Amino acid sequence: MERVVITGIGVLNAIGNSKDEFWEALAIGKNGIGPLTHFDATDHRTQIAGEVKNFQPEKYLDRKATSRYPLFIQYALVAAIMAFEDAELELSKVNPYRAGVQIGSGIGGIGVLEDNAKILAEKGAKRVSPFLVPYMIINMAAGLVSIHFNLKGPNSASVTACASANHSMGDSFRMIQRGEVDVMFTGGTESAITPLAFAGFGSMRAMSARNHEPERASRPFNKDRDGFVMGEGAGILILESLSHAKKRGAHIYAEIIGYGMTSDAHDMVSPPENGEGAAKAMEFALRDAGLPLDAVDYINAHGTSTPIGDVAETNAIKTLFGEHAYNIPVSSTKSMVGHLLGAAGSVELIACLGGMAKGYLPPTINYDMPDEACDLDYVPNESREAKIDIALSNAFGFGGHNTSIAIRKFSGL
């Protein structure tokens, strides 16, 4: 089978609009959560979010794209262009039928649906936009990236809630492994900071209501956590077969070496407290990589800051690693950027790549009250100098979807 490497990175989130900006912000534990500005949230239980700031799509996209496309598509396109430029790909030398796209999203164009539902109710069916369907459907992010770059190979979108990006990257990894393609643009994108989405999550009481101190609201593994904070943005990576990357002299960030996925088969939205499915996903990723348990240097946790989820993931890590779990640094970068739903997995894998490249463990900020049920090393509040050779990145989603991706720092061998 082909070995699979990462050669390009594009990212947008609440603390960085580029790879370098994001990595620098992670190293200092920068907080990106603040009062919500996308809409008037006065009547909502949650009024805070991790919004992308100073987004300038006109640097990358034409006027049609910036004026018409919903944000989740714009985020995907801009991040894909960043990744393409970072990888220094020459598409004229790539067979377009051996280059593809798989970009996931949890909710996609929900804002387009909201706007047009209001138009339908107030002005009638004839006033609904003809672009409602193409701008709402989740696969259009992958479709437009494919069109932009003339990529004619596989073109797909994983829609598995907050596991969407990990499934997209894992499936892309498999396609390259099998020799079906040479290059994949993959990851996730999300822009669900909308009135309807906030109302829905608010009614579930899934999101934090710490509106009076937004910078402290995302508190993974902390005893007084009260829910996740919505984030937005995109993370797009370019994956290549090692042979293809080496032939063109590409810079290689890391190698993807394992991918595991399971289902909880338990509940629509809550994981089992013992974290059995999550433990198996990590186990399968490491088995796929051919690695022993003690090879893992760092785990980027799903760590959403929900009371049940953080306990379940902690238990999953302890179930798999036993006593060795206490020796493995685990952190949640959602404490800084919020929860990007379908884009969370790719943004967090990029955080792992930053730690590998720069020699630090990203911190879990806002950790000031330990929870006896969450008793691992969560890299509290400040980054820590460390050498990361092997990392796991977890992403779990409503519906019981569990995924884990194992990466290795590229040694040139």
Side-chain angles (χ1 to χ4, degrees):
M1 290 195 296
E2 292 277 2
R3 292 170 64 183
V4 182
V5 295
I6 300 166
T7 59
I9 299 171
V11 66
L12 296 160
N13 58 56
I15 60 173
N17 290 344
S18 71
K19 169 197 69 182
D20 292 333
E21 189 177 358
F22 178 43
W23 288 352
E24 290 168 9
L26 287 175
I28 61 172
K30 184 176 180 179
N31 186 283
I33 312 301
L36 195 154
T37 66
H38 284 359
F39 65 91
D40 182 356
T42 302
D43 295 332
H44 288 259
R45 180 175 182 271
T46 297
Q47 300 167 6
I48 55 177
E51 297 176 336
V52 171
K53 302 164 185 68
N54 303 313
F55 180 50
Q56 297 178 297
E58 64 277 1
K59 289 184 176 181
Y60 300 90
L61 306 175
D62 61 25
R63 186 177 176 185
K64 173 186 173 183
T66 58
S67 63
R68 291 185 181 180
Y69 295 167
L71 276 176
F72 90 101
I73 292 177
Q74 291 189 44
Y75 289 160
L77 279 166
V78 169
I81 293 168
M82 287 179 180
F84 169 73
E85 292 176 350
D86 187 45
E88 298 183 342
L89 265 175
E90 293 183 60
L91 289 178
S92 62
K93 297 180 179 180
V94 177
N95 181 341
Y97 288 97
R98 290 190 60 80
V101 184
Q102 186 158 353
I103 297 173
S105 184
I107 298 181
I110 189 171
V112 178
L113 178 62
E114 289 179 50
D115 292 344
N116 280 273
K118 184 177 180 181
I119 290 170
L120 175 64
E122 295 178 354
K123 300 180 180 180
K126 292 182 180 180
R127 298 295 295 276
V128 170
S129 170
F131 295 106
L132 164 62
V133 173
Y135 288 173
M136 176 187 71
I137 54 180
I138 285 171
N139 62 293
M140 197 52 66
L144 287 172
V145 169
S146 172
I147 291 167
H148 184 89
F149 291 104
N150 191 41
L151 306 173
K152 296 183 177 181
N155 184 356
S156 185
S158 295
V159 185
T160 48
C162 307
S164 298
N166 263 21
H167 274 133
S168 291
M169 295 185 297
D171 292 349
S172 296
F173 163 63
R174 289 280 186 249
M175 282 187 272
I176 297 174
Q177 265 194 328
R178 293 192 296 261
E180 297 170 10
V181 288
D182 300 313
V183 178
M184 288 294 292
F185 287 59
T186 186
T189 184
E190 202 77 84
S191 179
I193 301 176
T194 73
L196 184 60
F198 263 59
F201 282 117
S203 293
M204 293 174 67
R205 296 188 175 270
M207 294 196 298
S208 173
R210 196 183 288 264
N211 299 315
H212 61 291
E213 47 179 3
E215 71 284 351
R216 293 172 57 78
S218 187
R219 305 169 65 77
F221 306 110
N222 205 67
K223 190 176 182 67
D224 66 346
R225 62 193 182 278
D226 70 327
F228 76 87
V229 176
M230 182 85 76
E232 64 174 354
I236 305 296
L237 299 101
I238 291 180
L239 309 187
E240 297 183 56
S241 67
L242 177 60
S243 58
H244 188 273
K246 290 180 76 171
K247 184 177 179 180
R248 70 180 190 86
H251 170 73
I252 296 172
Y253 288 99
E255 181 177 1
I256 298 182
I257 53 174
Y259 172 41
M261 54 180 170
T262 64
S263 175
D264 285 330
H266 171 73
D267 183 82
M268 283 196 300
V269 297
S270 295
E273 188 171 335
N274 65 9
E276 177 187 357
K280 283 294 183 182
M282 290 184 283
E283 177 187 334
F284 294 160
L286 291 174
R287 182 187 301 172
D288 189 36
L291 292 174
L293 297 178
D294 62 4
V296 178
D297 298 310
Y298 169 63
I299 299 173
N300 189 294
H302 186 58
T304 58
S305 188
T306 58
I308 295 174
D310 289 3
V311 172
E313 187 168 13
T314 296
N315 287 339
I317 293 168
K318 291 193 287 189
T319 295
L320 177 60
F321 292 96
E323 284 300 311
H324 183 59
Y326 294 96
N327 300 322
I328 304 172
V330 178
S331 71
S332 173
T333 45
K334 288 183 178 74
S335 59
M336 292 171 271
V337 301
H339 189 353
L340 275 72
L341 307 182
S346 53
V347 169
E348 290 159 16
L349 192 71
I350 292 168
C352 294
L353 294 171
M356 279 186 172
K358 303 296 183 180
Y360 68 84
L361 299 168
T364 303
I365 67 169
N366 297 324
Y367 187 84
D368 55 19
M369 189 183 298
D371 182 344
E372 56 274 11
C374 298
D375 58 350
L376 300 177
D377 174 9
Y378 302 113
V379 194
N381 302 314
E382 296 182 352
S383 64
R384 185 185 307 160
E385 186 176 330
K387 184 175 183 286
I388 304 174
D389 288 320
I390 303 290
L392 282 178
S393 186
N394 293 337
F396 315 133
F398 283 178
H401 306 287
N402 303 304
T403 60
S404 188
I405 293 179
I407 60 173
R408 175 169 55 207
K409 188 171 184 177
F410 188 69
S411 65
L413 300 177

